[in-house]
Amino acid sequence: MASSLITLTIIIFQFLSLALVQASLCRTSCGDIPINYPFGIDDGCGSPYYSHLLVCSDIGKLQLRTPSGKYQVDSISYSDPHIIIRDPFMWNCQDGDNFRPTRTFSLDTSTHFTLSTQNDYLFFNCSPDKVIVEPKPIFCERFPEKCDSSCDSSSYLCRHLPDCASALKKSSCCSYYPKATESLRLMLKYCASYTSIYWSDIGNIPPYDQVPVYGIRVDFDIPVTTRCLQCQDMRKGGGTCGFDTSSQSFLCMCGQRNVTTYCKDHEISSHGRAGVIAGTLAGVSAAGGIGIGAGIWFWKKVRAKAPVTCGVQSTENRLF
């Protein structure tokens, strides 16, 4: 009887532990990077448009998932919506004239991410037989129809590489903005390497308000909905915007419950939150209920049939 009671307690504890772990609120940071709407690093948090695109590693490093791999996120701006990522395969100042094997960075065009027009791409040691490497102002005047296809050898950034203006001793450099990922792949097919530089706003008075920095700027949209604004409104409860992971429908997370409007709306029924964040609630709650119910049934069965053995486990009342 005592061993049966212990087993029942363990079964119930396991299910309740699972529920409590998964019932934690959406994390609001990864390392020192804030995670706000529309992003989320937990299931059902943020906007479904960005579900599973950002990952927080075990050591607190935020990463962006793309078709070409995972990339470390250096920062996120919500006022001017963009993220800055780092591609370790791109050329850097330490490489100099030694070009390492690289790969093409790409974004999934079905997401709400886009490559920013504030990025500049520098290509090194391109084949003159395959790539039009010319000083753009002069070349564009002579051949305006080929201007967009040329790689600018007179680029300001080629002549003033950020942090290491003299890093290239014997290699050529030109600047080109690919309009599609395929264009980038073709360029790398005929060039030794490349790097991305974005213009970072430092808050000074124009035209000295931006400086070139290595990295890739990726812009994003913030889906603004009335329901999310009401959910976040502190006067209406200050909830967290999320979604049901099975139906993708909106949910406002309010600590111990989820609602479809806002936290202080007492006229609607809420989704109990004993189980889990957002949409996975039902599955865990149901599993917990089944597990506890099975435990009670098992307890009654054992109690009815177990022989009295004064605490000694026999072949008739053995649990496992």
Side-chain angles (χ1 to χ4, degrees), residues 37-156:
Y37 184 83
F39 298 129
I41 51 178
D42 299 294
D43 282 346
C45 299
S47 168
Y49 293 125
Y50 297 100
S51 178
H52 301 129
L53 292 179
L54 289 181
V55 183
C56 188
S57 70
D58 294 337
I59 58 174
K61 296 295 184 181
L62 189 63
Q63 295 176 316
L64 172 68
R65 283 177 172 162
T66 80
S68 54
K70 289 182 182 179
Y71 300 89
Q72 181 175 322
V73 176
D74 284 345
S75 64
I76 300 179
S77 170
Y78 296 95
S79 57
D80 176 20
H82 71 271
I83 67 176
I84 301 298
I85 65 172
R86 187 186 310 169
D87 184 353
F89 290 93
M90 286 186 172
W91 180 90
N92 59 53
C93 288
Q94 289 70 37
D95 292 335
D97 291 304
N98 301 312
F99 299 110
R100 297 173 287 112
T102 187
R103 68 184 184 190
T104 307
F105 172 80
S106 64
L107 282 175
D108 185 349
T109 55
S110 67
T111 67
H112 285 238
F113 285 123
T114 56
L115 281 174
S116 174
T117 55
Q118 294 189 36
N119 293 320
D120 277 307
Y121 298 92
L122 304 183
F123 294 85
F124 307 106
N125 282 3
C126 297
S127 170
D129 297 329
K130 301 293 184 179
V131 180
I132 302 174
V133 181
E134 295 285 349
K136 243 184 178 179
I138 299 174
F139 181 80
C140 291
E141 287 180 8
R142 295 176 56 195
F143 306 100
E145 72 282 0
K146 296 182 179 180
C147 183
D148 289 342
S149 302
S150 62
C151 193
D152 186 10
S153 59
S154 64
S155 164
Y156 168 84

Side-chain angles (χ1 to χ4, degrees), residues 246-302:
S246 58
S247 66
Q248 305 293 296
S249 59
F250 174 80
L251 285 179
C252 183
M253 302 179 188
C254 308
Q256 296 302 315
R257 66 183 188 135
N258 298 330
V259 297
T260 56
T261 53
Y262 50 89
C263 297
K264 289 186 177 180
D265 187 355
H266 302 295
E267 297 181 1
I268 64 169
S269 60
S270 64
H271 299 263
R273 195 182 161 85
V276 61
I277 296 172
T280 49
L281 164 70
V284 174
S285 297
I290 291 171
I292 295 173
I296 295 172
W297 172 85
F298 178 75
W299 162 251
K300 289 181 178 179
K301 183 177 179 181
V302 170

Side-chain angles (χ1 to χ4, degrees), residues 103-267:
R103 68 184 184 190
T104 307
F105 172 80
S106 64
L107 282 175
D108 185 349
T109 55
S110 67
T111 67
H112 285 238
F113 285 123
T114 56
L115 281 174
S116 174
T117 55
Q118 294 189 36
N119 293 320
D120 277 307
Y121 298 92
L122 304 183
F123 294 85
F124 307 106
N125 282 3
C126 297
S127 170
D129 297 329
K130 301 293 184 179
V131 180
I132 302 174
V133 181
E134 295 285 349
K136 243 184 178 179
I138 299 174
F139 181 80
C140 291
E141 287 180 8
R142 295 176 56 195
F143 306 100
E145 72 282 0
K146 296 182 179 180
C147 183
D148 289 342
S149 302
S150 62
C151 193
D152 186 10
S153 59
S154 64
S155 164
Y156 168 84
L157 291 175
C158 279
R159 292 179 286 110
H160 302 86
L161 288 169
D163 304 328
C164 53
S166 59
L168 298 178
K169 306 297 183 183
K170 53 185 180 181
S171 302
S172 64
C173 171
C174 63
S175 174
Y176 174 73
Y177 186 84
K179 294 183 178 180
T181 301
E182 188 58 32
S183 300
L184 183 55
R185 289 197 187 99
L186 286 174
M187 286 291 290
L188 281 179
K189 186 177 179 180
Y190 302 116
C191 301
S193 187
Y194 83 123
T195 194
S196 173
I197 297 171
Y198 71 96
W199 292 89
S200 177
D201 191 343
I202 57 175
N204 288 350
I205 300 174
Y208 308 104
D209 58 336
Q210 292 184 325
V211 295
V213 181
Y214 293 102
I216 305 174
R217 171 171 166 151
V218 177
D219 295 337
F220 63 89
D221 300 325
I222 300 180
V224 179
T225 65
T226 302
R227 286 186 297 179
C228 184
L229 293 175
Q230 288 181 335
C231 173
Q232 294 175 326
D233 191 339
M234 296 304 297
R235 295 169 299 178
K236 296 185 176 182
T240 301
C241 298
F243 60 94
D244 188 301
T245 55
S246 58
S247 66
Q248 305 293 296
S249 59
F250 174 80
L251 285 179
C252 183
M253 302 179 188
C254 308
Q256 296 302 315
R257 66 183 188 135
N258 298 330
V259 297
T260 56
T261 53
Y262 50 89
C263 297
K264 289 186 177 180
D265 187 355
H266 302 295
E267 297 181 1

